[in-house]
Amino acid sequence: MFNILRNAWRIPDLRKRMTFTLLMLVVFRLGSFIPVPGMDTEALATLIQSGGLLSFFDVISGGAFANFAIFAMGITPYINASIIMQLLTIAIPSLEALAKEGEEGRKKIAQYTRYGTVVLALIQAVALSIGLKRFLISTDFISITLVALSLTAGTAFLMWLGELITDKGVGNGISLIIFAGIVSRIPVGATQLINLYKAKTASIIELIGFVIVAILIIMAVVLVQEGQRRIPVQYAKRVVGRKMYGGQSSHIPLKVNQAGVIPVIFAMSIIEFPKQIAGFFPGSAAYNFFTKYFAWGTWLHGILYALLIIGFTYFYTAVTFNPVEVSNNIKKYGGFIPGIRPGKPTADFIQRSLSRITLVGAIFLALIAIFPIFLTAFTNINISFGSTSLLIVVSVAMETVKQIEAQMIMRNYQGFLK
């Protein structure tokens, strides 16, 4: 990986793109320290440290939520809007037809996603402003409106920044913003571990074991992210005029983790949302119920969390990969899977293979997500979202390096001759 980055830096165009990306990420980090006016950030930071959905938001936003900066909501509304648009594209025929129109159709869907991002950001900002009203210095209408508009503007700016990185930089801008936010928390996490050791709360054996486990998790994430089953496809020879086409072999790559980290984010949002709403009413029956039975680290929370991740993995894989469409495309171009008849048998075979390999990916995501619960139970090290953060960081890093490598191949055709 480091050799790829070093070689890419020697190419002037790629060096310019990489420099631009780094500068934009610096802008993102600077904005994470510009506070929204009128908020008691010290009291809010104490609430966030107690864990839950707000802690997860703080990890993704790179500490901006604890500071209640203008980027406090991060890029989450954009992710939600993108997922909603993907679901609507399947449910609404007009949007499905628009998605198949090529570049122009994708531009229109991207525009709808931007509008949806602003709407969702405004709704979330108003909900946060009202829900966290007790942390506001002044609770009048103007103060709440100012906080809501500041948060919405921050998310809209981040969306623009991410698209700018994608267009003029390297990698996916939205993913890199999340990546930068999580990586920026590494020094804070390392400091906490050192403080635990100094306070004799955690032994040196536990710290060494934690580092070894983190390395093993990274290796497992790389293995699963790169893992795929390749279904062979043979294309029959056909004569068109005086030319012969086809006759070559190809394959359908079915990834073990087709859904990425989206199921974890879905499951976290679903399981933590009722708790977060109840947290706005401390002392109520709902607050006591969720605190007792669904607190982070309880067995009920862990089981429900794992089941939700497995369910959302299958759901999101079904949304993003259509075996019937793949089967029709293979049949359209004269291809077939050896030993499988074209049409419905091919679609059934792909669906069966996808379901089996998705089960492995779903169980892996569930184990990665609930692993911190077991680690906290046997040690004094509390890392609520450590494994999830590692999964996101490793996935984004691998994807970015692949895109840089692809850019290098486009600019240096010697790679095809070696």
Side-chain angles (χ1 to χ4, degrees):
M1 184 180 74
F2 293 106
N3 289 333
I4 293 174
L5 294 177
R6 185 173 61 252
N7 294 332
W9 188 259
R10 295 172 182 172
I11 301 175
D13 184 33
L14 274 180
R15 181 168 63 245
K16 181 179 178 181
R17 284 178 169 269
M18 293 169 69
T19 303
F20 179 83
T21 302
L22 291 174
L23 290 176
M24 293 302 100
L25 293 179
V26 169
V27 172
F28 160 64
R29 291 306 303 151
L30 290 176
S32 301
F33 295 96
I34 301 177
V36 172
M39 178 65 69
D40 184 1
T41 56
E42 293 184 0
L44 180 62
T46 303
L47 173 66
I48 292 173
Q49 290 174 359
S50 61
L53 186 60
L54 296 183
S55 296
F56 188 59
F57 284 160
D58 187 54
V59 170
I60 293 180
S61 65
F65 198 90
N67 300 328
F68 214 75
I70 56 175
F71 294 159
M73 293 195 305
I75 206 67
T76 306
Y78 180 85
I79 297 173
N80 295 335
S82 301
I83 294 171
I84 291 173
M85 281 304 302
Q86 285 183 348
L87 298 178
L88 292 179
T89 300
I90 298 174
I92 302 176
S94 59
L95 287 177
E96 186 177 2
L98 190 64
K100 295 179 180 179
E101 288 183 3
E103 187 64 27
E104 290 300 319
R106 286 192 291 270
K107 285 182 179 179
K108 290 183 180 179
I109 291 180
Q111 191 67 23
Y112 295 154
T113 303
R114 295 187 192 104
Y115 294 148
T117 299
V118 175
V119 172
L120 290 178
L122 182 60
I123 295 173
Q124 185 176 337
V126 171
L128 280 175
S129 303
I130 297 175
L132 301 176
K133 188 167 61 174
R134 66 182 186 272
F135 298 105
L136 288 173
I137 297 174
S138 177
T139 58
D140 56 17
F141 176 78
I142 295 178
S143 298
I144 294 177
T145 303
L146 179 62
V147 171
L149 291 178
S150 299
L151 293 175
T152 304
T155 296
F157 180 82
L158 274 185
M159 176 181 63
W160 172 79
L161 197 68
E163 292 184 348
L164 200 62
I165 293 174
T166 303
D167 185 34
K168 297 184 178 181
V170 291
N172 184 288
I174 303 301
S175 299
L176 286 174
I177 287 175
I178 299 175
F179 173 86
I182 295 175
V183 169
S184 67
R185 305 298 293 168
I186 291 179
V188 177
T191 303
Q192 291 176 350
L193 291 177
I194 293 173
N195 291 337
L196 286 175
Y197 174 70
K198 290 181 177 178
K200 299 189 183 302
T201 306
S203 65
I204 188 67
I205 301 297
E206 290 177 334
L207 294 182
I208 294 174
F210 169 76
V211 173
I212 293 175
V213 168
I215 294 174
L216 292 176
I217 290 176
I218 293 174
M219 294 172 61
V221 169
V222 172
L223 183 64
V224 172
Q225 288 296 109
E226 291 293 300
Q228 58 180 232
R229 179 185 177 185
R230 297 183 175 184
I231 299 179
V233 178
Q234 182 71 38
Y235 289 92
K237 293 181 180 180
R238 55 194 177 97
V239 178
V240 180
R242 294 184 177 181
K243 295 184 178 180
M244 181 176 292
Y245 296 91
Q248 72 272 20
S249 299
S250 182
H251 66 270
I252 304 171
L254 298 181
K255 297 183 66 175
V256 176
N257 184 16
Q258 190 83 21
V261 76
I262 296 296
V264 178
I265 298 176
F266 268 18
M268 174 60 63
S269 300
I270 294 297
I271 199 171
E272 292 290 340
F273 183 73
K275 292 166 54 180
Q276 209 59 58
I277 296 299
F280 295 143
F281 307 95
S284 63
Y287 176 82
N288 294 332
F289 174 79
F290 283 111
T291 302
K292 181 178 180 180
Y293 295 105
F294 289 93
W296 189 91
T298 60
W299 65 270
L300 189 59
H301 173 276
I303 293 175
L304 183 59
Y305 189 24
L307 292 177
L308 283 173
I309 290 174
I310 294 174
F312 278 126
T313 301
Y314 273 97
F315 172 76
Y316 194 74
T317 301
V319 168
T320 56
F321 189 93
N322 189 348
V324 176
E325 185 177 348
V326 173
S327 173
N328 291 337
N329 289 334
I330 293 174
K331 184 178 179 181
K332 179 181 177 181
Y333 293 102
F336 62 93
I337 298 175
I340 307 295
R341 295 181 61 185
K344 189 176 184 302
T346 297
D348 293 340
F349 176 78
I350 296 174
Q351 180 62 59
R352 188 164 57 251
S353 302
L354 183 65
S355 298
R356 291 174 178 174
I357 201 169
T358 299
L359 178 62
V360 178
I363 293 176
F364 171 77
L365 285 180
L367 291 176
I368 284 290
I370 66 174
F371 177 76
I373 297 177
F374 296 101
L375 184 64
T376 305
F378 292 102
T379 67
N380 294 317
I381 302 175
N382 185 4
I383 48 165
S384 304
F385 308 104
S387 300
T388 306
S389 301
L390 276 179
L391 178 64
I392 296 173
V393 167
V394 174
S395 301
V396 173
M398 290 172 57
E399 185 63 30
T400 303
V401 170
K402 286 181 181 179
Q403 292 193 26
I404 292 175
E405 192 173 18
Q407 293 280 346
M408 291 174 61
I409 292 175
M410 289 174 58
R411 290 164 173 79
N412 187 0
Y413 290 98
Q414 290 181 356
F416 292 105
L417 303 177
K418 291 181 179 179

